[in-house]
Amino acid sequence: MAGNENDIKEILAVHHAWLESNNDLVIEKMYPNFADPGYLQFNLNGHEYQGPAEKAKLWEGLHQIGFNLSDMKIVEEPKVHAEGDLAYLTTYWSAQVSGDKGTGVLEPDPEPLVFRVTEVYRRDDGKGNQVWKIWHFHASPIASPDLPRFPQEA
């Protein structure tokens, strides 16, 4: 980790609060972690979400169709790089995904979903207050272990 120890501590606190808000998709816990206005997310579902209010609509929709995330965990300790009023964090998360598969019951997938995460932070809440907030979140899938990587590793 690179940067001021207090900044890193504050960034990690936001990161952990954001992770926790994903358990059961709790909108009230999600809002405080993001710059507003200014937040942009590239979601694991392939779509882009502008601002916490649009993100909240996604979570409301997921609740309506019986989709849920639970048992959110950090798979790899976050790496934080902070300099001045900007920072980024990289890590891997896992989540138990469940949904209504036609039975009327939330059924969990057999294996947790593991994916990589990148977060961009600014010491600005979108209104000029000097607090660390997430300005950009990007989640993406991990390549399958049997997928060739180029160039080939020795």
Side-chain angles (χ1 to χ4, degrees):
M1 294 197 209
N4 174 298
E5 190 176 316
N6 285 336
D7 289 340
I8 290 172
K9 189 181 199 181
E10 290 174 20
I11 290 164
L12 286 171
V14 174
H15 173 75
H16 288 287
W18 162 226
L19 172 73
E20 181 56 35
S21 74
N22 279 268
N23 277 312
D24 298 323
L25 304 172
V26 181
I27 293 168
E28 297 77 26
K29 289 182 178 181
M30 178 265 297
Y31 266 104
N33 304 299
F34 302 111
D36 190 12
Y39 171 67
L40 170 67
Q41 178 168 345
F42 294 159
N43 196 287
L44 192 57
N45 68 13
H47 293 285
E48 177 181 303
Y49 296 89
Q50 302 252 348
E54 190 172 43
K55 176 75 174 175
K57 287 179 185 175
L58 166 65
W59 284 13
E60 289 168 355
L62 292 173
H63 283 297
Q64 288 173 0
I65 65 168
F67 178 92
N68 196 34
L69 297 174
S70 60
D71 200 24
M72 296 290 297
K73 294 179 183 170
I74 294 172
V75 175
E76 178 183 280
E77 280 307 306
K79 295 176 182 77
V80 179
H81 303 273
E83 188 172 327
D85 292 336
L86 291 174
Y88 68 92
L89 177 151
T90 58
T91 190
Y92 290 83
W93 285 1
S94 71
Q96 189 62 55
V97 178
S98 53
D100 180 347
K101 297 178 177 68
T103 63
V105 177
L106 290 181
E107 297 179 32
D109 288 343
E111 295 294 323
L113 174 66
V114 178
F115 54 98
R116 59 186 164 203
V117 166
T118 303
E119 298 168 354
V120 177
Y121 289 79
R122 274 179 57 189
R123 191 188 336 254
D124 177 354
D125 66 354
K127 296 174 181 64
N129 297 306
Q130 298 295 294
V131 292
W132 287 105
K133 296 290 182 177
I134 301 171
W135 280 74
H136 179 63
F137 177 83
H138 184 135
S140 59
I142 298 169
S144 170
D146 59 345
L147 184 67
R149 185 177 187 277
F150 296 101
Q152 294 288 329
E153 295 177 349

